[in-house]
């Protein structure tokens, strides 16, 4: 396209004012412009009719002052006019007086692209003057001019081709309303508008720290990009522009040391490059557009920058509405998701485990995680615990039973990632788990699973943290800020679900307790008035010296006299000034009545255990405080209340109501609950004269001691007490240390049948065989270790070790006799060919009875 100045050189100007068509200098008959006068008004002095005109102050080839030589062939009489020199002001005045001529000239001789460049240059110069303060705003004058010029420029730029581009772009946005697609289509339109040979679009990732190359048709994520760079100088042009925030024009991309990697993607023969940052109105960087022209192409100019800016004005609006559409769509999907969560959880609250599994399942779907864990807070112990874990298997909501771990896991609230979140209430989004010192690698080592990313979120209810949900390994990339926001809203529903699940669990437990209470009341009742009067009328012995002996046989005492012996032991141990005798009578008789008629765990067993504890308290001479001794004695008396003759394992497997109420130490919890129930009966509270603090301490000791009779807890208590003894760290003044002594003493008293004389031991053991296991292994594995540790801590209990050892020797002898008899029987069967013949079992039973009768 030719330069407009050259077009002026080749065009004859219209007759100047004062010249007629014939070229005469007579006065024209046409009216003059206000600024026109004689011919000299433009030319000054009149010369010959053939004029050579030089316009001073303008060069057709540059913006510098110079001279424009213009030959005017004003053929007045067929002769050439002399050369005439015109000033720039003269031509300007002439064009001002002849706007029609100027308009006709521009429409016929100047291209549309050139006009656009002129307008862009004019606007750019105006902004530059305003920016440097060369003209200050007066009454909003400049602001109005800027708006008018900006609007004119925008309308001017949107000619037929660009209008079609924008229509196509609008149609594409409507079909694919997402930020990446809008910017990609916008970059394509800009490349076409500035005649670029190619373009690249880089988007900022969610962290705001890196750029990644966007390719149309990709998954719109950084992971699918072939090029990713950190936003910082020293690498690519795009990274430099994103870091600086300015537009960069480069004529020789390979020669610029600021970006040694150049443009990286595409444009292998690119030479001149223009890079423009895409910045929102709030200053947030969205991406960078790279435009390039290949070798031989013209460099980009300021006009190209203005064209890009004009497109980005519209593009920013499009991106804003695209993001708004995306946000609304995402929110609608989240609302639908939360509605499904609410419907699934609250319509089918079967148990806490079911709710936990559903929460973990939905949490994985929400943020596209591979694994999920839910830890609940135990405020009493300041620990986090979990009993259900996600192993990566598919969870079926219709399954009646959730996947449950074999063992509950507990750890302090200040340990690990979950512990940090539970302690601080802060959300943790860890993009590299192994780089975070709070992450515990032992779990990965044990399971063979590799943890990469973690999103951990606290669950609140009424302002308190009740749990922590931990998402592990996002399926693609890392957890984003959007994932945090969605999961934070989901956590609110999790808190409500867990809260209602706990309420439901409490209601369910209350129903089970009600059933158990009805069952107990149908079998038991309080002592009768006749029983009370009978016991009250019996005199309590002043002395029973034979009682303070470990070898004393409680089974030799008549069943009706046992309550009287209990009263005696109670009175002998404690000062009766604080206790009411009638209340003690009723309490003791009702305790006896609440023991069922079972082979071993009956009233006689309770009496023998209470006697054993009485003997320990008497012989150890005030090792325990009066309140501790009271708790130990009452706990022994009540430790098997309402025992059904079945083990805890049987109660759980048979799905009894008791197992539904107490998941661990089932029967022991029930025994303590029965103790409290009896104390609450009218006229049965033997602790009624105690202060509230003393009452609380005694009940706590009774509960601790009764639960200690669960053999599942014995081994842990024994190990801890033994460790303290071996390290010489045990202190009698330490309350916690004494609790371990109490626990071991309770176990020793509960097994006291194994320390009695052989004739007593042999009779009681026949009953034990019906409920437990071989007596030799029982004494070696449990009884002797218990009594030996007890004797080390309290030497006065050494007779318990001696009694158990003597009985063990007898049982070993019996075991050898039985073993030899069985071997002889097998040989005899083989000899007669009756190894599996009829009647062999009957013969074995007969032989066993014979061997028992041979015992001394």
């Amino acid at each position: 396209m030719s330069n407009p100045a050259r077009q002026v050189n080749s065009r004859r100007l219209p007759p100047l004012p004062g010249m007629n068509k014939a070229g005469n200098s007579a006065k024209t008959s046409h009216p003059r412009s206000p600024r026109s006068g004689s011919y000299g008004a433009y030319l000054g002095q009149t010369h010959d009719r053939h004029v050579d005109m030089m316009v001073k102050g303008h060069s057709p080839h540059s913006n510098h002052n110079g001279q424009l030589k213009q030959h005017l062939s004003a053929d007045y009489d067929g002769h050439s006019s002399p050369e005439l020199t015109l000033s720039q002001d003269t031509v300007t005045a002439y064009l001002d007086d002849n706007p029609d001529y100027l308009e006709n000239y521009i429409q016929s001789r100047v291209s549309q692209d050139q006009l656009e460049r002129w307008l862009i240059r004019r606007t750019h110069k105006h902004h530059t003057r305003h920016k440097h303060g060369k003209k200050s705003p007066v009454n909003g004058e400049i602001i109005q001019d800027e708006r008018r010029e900006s609007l004119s420029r925008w309308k001017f730029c949107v000619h037929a081709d660009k209008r079609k581009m924008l229509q196509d772009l609008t149609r594409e946005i409507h079909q694919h309303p997402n930020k990446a697609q809008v910017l990609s289509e916008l970059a394509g339109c800009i490349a076409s508008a500035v005649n670029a040979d190619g373009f690249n679009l880089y988007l900022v990732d969610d962290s705001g720290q890196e750029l990644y190359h966007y390719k149309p048709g990709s998954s719109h994520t950084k992971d699918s990009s072939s090029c990713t760079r950190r936003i910082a100088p020293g690498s690519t042009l795009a990274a430099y522009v994103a870091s600086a925030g300015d537009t960069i024009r480069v004529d020789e991309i390979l020669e610029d040391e600021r970006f040694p990697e150049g443009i990286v993607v595409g444009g292998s023969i690119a030479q001149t490059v223009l890079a423009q940052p895409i910045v929102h109105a709030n200053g947030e960087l969205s991406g960078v557009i790279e435009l390039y022209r290949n070798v031989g192409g013209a460099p980009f100019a300021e006009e190209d920058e203005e064209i890009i800016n004009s497109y980005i004005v519209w593009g920013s609006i499009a991106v804003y509405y695209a993001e708004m559409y995306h946000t609304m769509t995402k929110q609608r999907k989240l609302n639908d998701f939360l509605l499904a969560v609410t419907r699934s959880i609250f319509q089918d609250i079967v148990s806490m485990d079911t709710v936990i599994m559903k929460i973990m399942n939905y949490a994985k779907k929400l943020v596209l995680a591979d694994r999920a864990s839910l830890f609940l807070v135990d405020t009493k112990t300041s620990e986090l615990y979990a009993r259900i874990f996600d192993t990566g298997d598919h969870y079926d909501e219709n399954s009646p039973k959730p996947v449950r771990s074999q063992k509950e896991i507990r750890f302090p609230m200040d340990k690990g990632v979950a512990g940090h979140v539970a302690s601080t209430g802060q959300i943790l989004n860890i993009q590299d788990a192994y780089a975070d010192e709070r992450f515990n690698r032992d779990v990965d080592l044990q399971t063979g699973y590799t943890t990469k990313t973690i999103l951990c979120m606290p669950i609140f209810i009424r302002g308190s943290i009740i749990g922590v949900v931990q998402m592990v390994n996002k399926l693609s990339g890392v957890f984003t800020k959007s994932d945090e926001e969605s999961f934070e809203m989901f956590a609110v529903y999790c808190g409500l679900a867990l809260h209602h699940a706990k309420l439901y669990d409490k209601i369910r437990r209350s129903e089970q307790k009600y059933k158990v209470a009805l069952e107990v009341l149908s079998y038991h009742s309080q002592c009768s008035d006749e029983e009370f009067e009978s016991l009250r009328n019996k005199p309590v012995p002043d002395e029973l010296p034979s009682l303070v002996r470990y070898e004393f046989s409680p089974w030799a005492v008549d069943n009706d006299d046992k309550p009287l012996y209990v009263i005696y032991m109670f009175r002998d141990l404690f000062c009766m000034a604080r206790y009411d005798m009638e209340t003690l009578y009723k309490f003791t008789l009702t305790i006896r009545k609440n023991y069922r008629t079972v082979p071993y765990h009956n009233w006689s067993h309770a009496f023998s255990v209470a006697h054993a504890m009485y003997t320990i308290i008497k012989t150890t001479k005030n090792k325990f405080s009066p309140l501790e001794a009271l708790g130990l004695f009452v706990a022994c008396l009540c430790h098997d209340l309402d025992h059904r003759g079945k083990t805890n394992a049987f109660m759980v497997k048979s799905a009894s109501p008791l197992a539904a109420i107490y998941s661990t130490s089932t029967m022991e919890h029930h025994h303590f609950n029965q103790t409290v129930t009896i104390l609450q009966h009218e006229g049965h509270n033997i602790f009624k004269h105690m202060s509230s603090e003393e009452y609380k301490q005694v009940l706590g000791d009774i509960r601790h001691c009764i639960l200690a009779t669960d053999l599942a807890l014995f081994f842990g208590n024994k190990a801890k007490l033994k460790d303290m003894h071996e390290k010489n760290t045990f202190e009698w003044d330490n309350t916690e240390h004494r609790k371990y002594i109490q626990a071991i003493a309770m176990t020793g008293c509960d097994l006291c049948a194994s320390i009695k004389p052989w004739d007593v031991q042999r009779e009681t053991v026949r009953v034990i065989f019906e409920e437990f296991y071989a007596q030799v292994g029982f004494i070696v594995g449990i009884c002797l270790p218990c009594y030996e540790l007890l004797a080390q801590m309290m030497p006065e209990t050494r007779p318990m070790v001696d009694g158990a050892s003597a009985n063990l020797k007898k049982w070993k002898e019996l075991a050898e006799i039985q073993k030899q008899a069985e071997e002889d029987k097998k040989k005899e069967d083989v000899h007669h060919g009756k190894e599996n013949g009829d009647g062999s079992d009957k013969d074995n039973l007969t032989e066993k009875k014979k061997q028992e009768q041979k015992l001394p």
Side-chain angles (χ1 to χ4, degrees):
M1 184 186 77
S2 62
N3 189 285
R6 297 196 192 99
Q7 297 178 20
V8 173
N9 287 337
S10 60
R11 179 172 177 82
R12 186 179 299 276
L13 291 173
L16 294 174
M19 300 291 290
N20 57 18
K21 279 189 175 182
N24 296 326
S25 59
K27 292 182 179 179
T28 178
S29 61
H30 300 288
R32 294 183 179 180
S33 146
R35 294 183 57 180
S36 64
S38 64
Y39 184 71
Y42 295 96
L43 303 179
Q45 186 177 356
T46 304
H47 296 277
D48 293 339
R49 287 172 294 181
H50 294 282
V51 182
D52 288 336
M53 183 175 65
M54 299 293 293
V55 180
K56 296 181 179 180
H58 180 75
S59 171
H61 303 291
S62 67
N63 291 330
H64 302 287
N65 291 333
Q67 289 185 336
L68 171 63
K69 186 174 182 180
Q70 183 77 1
H71 296 280
L72 299 176
S73 298
D75 193 5
Y76 303 116
D77 55 359
H79 297 283
S80 300
S81 63
E83 184 177 52
L84 181 66
T85 301
L86 298 177
S87 67
Q88 184 174 346
D89 292 338
T90 302
V91 176
T92 300
Y94 174 77
L95 294 177
D96 287 341
D97 288 339
N98 296 273
D100 294 338
Y101 166 74
L102 178 61
E103 180 179 354
N104 182 55
Y105 174 81
I106 291 175
Q107 290 180 356
S108 60
R109 294 299 186 94
V110 181
S111 68
Q112 192 168 358
D113 288 340
Q114 184 62 46
L115 286 174
E116 183 174 339
R117 290 191 182 94
W118 285 353
L119 182 60
I120 290 173
R121 286 178 183 174
R122 182 179 185 278
T123 305
H124 179 71
K125 290 179 180 179
H126 175 77
H127 286 313
T128 302
R129 288 197 303 270
H130 177 58
K131 180 178 180 181
H132 294 290
K134 292 184 178 179
K135 186 176 182 181
S136 59
V138 179
N139 295 328
E141 179 183 355
I142 290 181
I143 297 177
Q144 294 175 2
D145 290 343
E146 286 181 351
R147 290 176 179 173
R148 188 184 306 112
E149 290 174 359
S150 176
L151 182 61
S152 300
R153 180 191 62 176
W154 178 246
K155 290 181 178 180
F156 184 80
C157 291
V158 185
H159 54 71
D161 293 337
K162 292 181 176 62
R163 185 181 294 112
K164 185 176 184 304
M165 291 180 188
L166 294 178
Q167 288 174 349
D168 295 339
L169 179 57
T170 304
R171 188 181 304 110
E172 186 67 23
I173 291 172
H174 180 72
Q175 296 175 357
H176 305 284
N178 64 77
K179 176 181 175 181
Q181 189 71 24
V182 170
L183 292 178
S184 177
E185 294 295 330
L186 181 64
C189 290
I190 293 174
S192 176
V194 299
N195 297 318
D197 293 327
F199 74 92
N200 293 317
L201 174 62
Y202 295 88
L203 300 178
V204 179
D205 68 354
D206 294 324
S207 67
Q209 303 298 319
E210 291 185 334
L211 283 176
Y212 66 94
H213 181 260
Y214 172 75
K215 183 178 181 182
S218 64
S219 62
H220 306 169
T221 62
K222 184 172 68 174
D223 294 342
S224 62
S225 175
S226 59
C227 176
T228 303
R229 291 293 185 276
R230 186 167 183 82
I231 298 177
S235 58
T236 65
L237 172 60
Y240 183 92
V241 170
S243 175
D246 296 326
T247 304
I248 299 292
R249 281 187 289 122
V250 183
D251 293 341
E252 291 290 344
I253 185 63
L254 299 179
E255 297 178 3
D256 201 312
E257 298 178 354
R258 291 176 296 175
F259 8 89
E261 295 184 38
I263 62 174
V264 183
V265 179
S268 58
I269 58 174
Q271 182 178 10
T272 177
V273 184
L274 190 156
Q276 171 81 26
I278 306 172
V279 183
H280 289 301
N282 60 2
E284 181 183 357
L285 180 69
S286 293
V288 174
I289 297 177
E290 268 182 1
L291 303 165
Y292 58 86
R293 291 173 182 162
N294 295 330
V295 176
F300 290 99
E302 292 180 0
E303 294 84 2
D304 298 316
E305 292 185 30
E306 291 295 336
I307 292 174
I308 294 175
N309 288 330
S310 65
Y311 272 93
I312 289 181
V313 169
W314 182 91
S316 298
I317 299 174
V319 170
Y320 172 78
Y321 283 103
E323 288 185 332
M324 181 183 295
Y325 177 87
H326 178 70
T327 301
M328 293 177 64
T329 302
K330 184 178 179 181
Q331 186 63 43
R332 179 174 55 82
K333 291 181 179 179
L334 178 60
N335 292 340
D336 294 340
F337 177 85
L338 294 176
L339 181 61
V341 171
T342 305
R343 185 184 301 112
S344 175
I345 292 178
F346 288 95
Q347 285 185 355
D348 190 23
I349 299 182
V350 177
S351 66
M352 177 67 77
D353 294 347
T354 303
V355 172
I356 290 174
M357 283 302 299
K358 287 186 176 182
I359 288 176
M360 294 183 349
N361 186 46
Y362 278 110
K364 288 196 301 180
K365 291 181 180 179
L366 178 63
V367 297
L368 299 179
D370 184 46
R371 299 283 179 91
S373 299
L374 175 59
F375 300 95
L376 298 177
V377 176
D378 189 341
T379 55
K380 294 182 179 179
T381 60
S382 297
E383 293 178 324
L384 289 176
Y385 68 95
R387 56 179 182 267
I388 299 177
F389 297 92
D390 182 11
T391 59
D393 299 331
H394 175 70
Y395 169 68
D396 184 9
E397 289 190 12
N398 297 322
S399 176
K401 293 183 180 180
V403 180
R404 182 166 182 155
S405 65
Q406 296 297 324
K407 185 179 180 181
E408 183 181 89
I409 290 182
R410 285 179 171 266
F411 56 92
M413 283 182 61
D414 58 347
K415 300 295 183 182
V417 174
H420 177 82
V421 173
S423 301
T424 63
Q426 299 176 350
I427 301 172
L428 279 185
N429 188 347
I430 301 175
Q431 299 184 2
D432 186 358
Y434 282 81
D436 195 299
E437 61 183 5
R438 293 164 296 195
F439 175 67
N440 184 8
R441 305 185 183 185
D442 295 338
V443 178
D444 281 7
L445 295 176
Q446 295 176 5
T447 61
Y449 185 77
T450 302
T451 301
K452 299 178 182 177
T453 57
I454 298 175
L455 176 61
C456 199
M457 181 83 63
I459 299 177
F460 291 88
I461 191 70
R462 295 179 180 176
S464 301
I465 298 177
I466 63 170
V468 173
V469 180
Q470 183 171 283
M471 300 290 100
V472 177
N473 288 357
K474 189 173 178 66
L475 296 180
S476 61
V478 298
F479 295 105
T480 64
K481 185 67 175 178
S482 177
D483 291 333
E484 294 180 27
E485 294 172 354
S486 300
F487 201 82
E488 192 171 9
M489 184 177 294
F490 174 73
V492 175
Y493 288 81
C494 292
L496 293 174
L498 291 174
H499 180 65
H500 282 81
K502 285 185 176 181
L503 292 178
Y504 176 84
D505 192 57
K506 289 182 178 179
I507 293 173
R508 186 177 59 86
R509 287 173 179 268
S510 298
E511 291 178 350
Q512 297 295 339
K513 286 183 178 181
Y514 175 72
K515 292 180 180 179
V516 173
L518 289 178
E519 180 187 354
V520 171
L521 290 175
S522 64
Y523 186 84
H524 301 299
S525 62
Q526 302 179 23
C527 64
S528 63
D529 294 338
E530 292 77 10
E531 291 174 328
F532 170 72
E533 291 296 332
S534 175
L535 179 60
R536 189 173 63 171
N537 293 330
K538 290 182 179 179
V540 179
D542 294 330
E543 290 186 5
L544 289 173
S546 60
L547 274 181
V548 192
R549 292 186 299 112
Y550 288 99
E551 61 272 17
F552 175 81
S553 174
W555 293 272
V557 179
D558 187 82
N559 199 49
D560 291 335
D561 292 335
K562 286 182 174 66
L564 193 62
Y565 275 65
V566 170
I567 300 299
Y568 171 82
M569 290 185 288
F570 195 96
R571 192 182 64 178
D572 190 31
L573 289 174
F574 312 111
C575 176
M576 294 305 298
R578 303 187 64 185
Y579 303 100
D580 181 72
M581 287 301 296
E582 291 189 357
T583 302
L584 183 59
Y585 288 147
K586 291 181 179 180
F587 178 79
T588 304
L589 291 173
T590 302
I591 290 293
R592 182 183 69 174
K593 199 171 188 68
N594 278 266
Y595 273 94
R596 299 196 182 196
T597 307
V598 291
Y600 183 75
H601 295 94
N602 47 37
W603 165 243
S604 295
H605 169 69
F607 177 73
S608 66
V609 174
H611 167 263
M613 183 58 69
Y614 164 78
T615 306
I616 290 177
I617 295 173
K618 289 288 288 184
T619 57
T620 54
K621 301 184 186 297
N622 302 321
K623 288 287 186 181
F624 301 106
S625 68
L627 287 180
E628 289 175 339
L630 177 63
L632 284 166
F633 183 76
V634 175
C636 287
L637 200 62
C638 305
H639 81 283
D640 274 338
L641 276 173
D642 195 46
H643 202 294
R644 287 90 187 280
K646 306 297 180 183
T647 63
N648 287 334
F650 177 86
M651 302 299 287
V652 172
K653 290 180 181 179
S654 62
S656 70
L658 280 176
I661 299 174
Y662 313 109
S663 57
T664 59
S665 302
T666 302
M667 292 307 302
E668 286 72 22
H669 277 100
H670 178 60
H671 302 327
F672 172 72
N673 187 56
Q674 287 301 109
T675 303
V676 174
T677 301
I678 293 174
L679 286 171
Q680 292 175 344
H681 288 333
E682 184 179 358
H684 287 71
N685 189 358
I686 59 176
F687 309 131
K688 62 183 178 180
H689 297 301
M690 292 183 176
S691 65
S692 58
E693 289 297 324
E694 291 174 332
Y695 186 80
K696 182 178 179 180
Q697 179 183 341
V698 170
L699 281 186
D701 289 343
I702 292 174
R703 181 181 184 277
H704 167 71
C705 293
I706 291 179
L707 293 182
T709 59
D710 183 1
L711 286 179
L713 304 178
F714 162 72
F715 300 99
N717 293 330
K718 184 196 71 172
K720 291 178 182 178
L721 184 59
K722 185 177 181 181
D723 182 68
M724 285 189 288
H725 176 71
E726 291 176 351
K727 294 180 180 179
N728 198 28
T729 59
F730 179 84
E731 298 178 358
W732 277 102
D733 294 336
N734 191 310
T735 304
E736 293 299 321
H737 290 186
R738 289 204 307 275
K739 284 188 177 295
Y740 287 113
I741 283 284
Q742 294 172 18
I744 296 301
M746 286 296 300
T747 302
C749 293
D750 195 19
L751 307 177
C752 66
S754 60
I755 69 169
K756 300 302 178 180
W758 174 248
D759 55 342
V760 177
Q761 161 82 112
R762 184 178 59 181
E763 294 298 324
T764 56
V765 124
R766 291 177 180 175
V767 180
I768 295 177
F769 272 144
E770 295 181 13
E771 298 183 5
F772 296 101
Y773 28 80
Q775 189 67 7
V776 173
F778 181 68
I779 295 178
V780 172
I782 297 178
C783 298
L784 272 180
C786 175
Y787 295 134
E788 288 173 351
L789 179 59
L790 198 60
Q792 290 172 2
M793 304 304 299
M794 296 185 293
E796 297 87 351
T797 61
R798 173 60 60 179
M800 303 180 82
V801 179
D802 298 337
S805 299
N807 288 327
L808 176 62
K809 182 178 179 181
K810 294 288 186 180
W811 284 113
K812 284 183 176 180
E813 293 175 358
L814 176 60
E816 288 296 328
I817 294 174
Q818 289 178 338
K819 182 178 179 181
Q820 186 62 43
E822 291 175 358
E823 292 178 354
D824 294 342
K825 182 63 176 176
K826 288 182 180 179
K827 292 180 182 179
E828 183 178 351
D829 291 341
V830 172
H831 179 71
H832 293 286
K834 297 192 301 180
E835 186 175 0
N836 295 317
D838 295 336
S840 58
D841 292 339
K842 183 178 179 180
D843 294 340
N844 288 335
L845 290 174
T846 304
E847 185 65 25
K848 183 178 179 180
K849 290 182 179 180
K850 290 181 179 179
Q851 298 302 329
E852 288 182 357
Q853 293 174 357
K854 293 180 181 179
L855 287 174

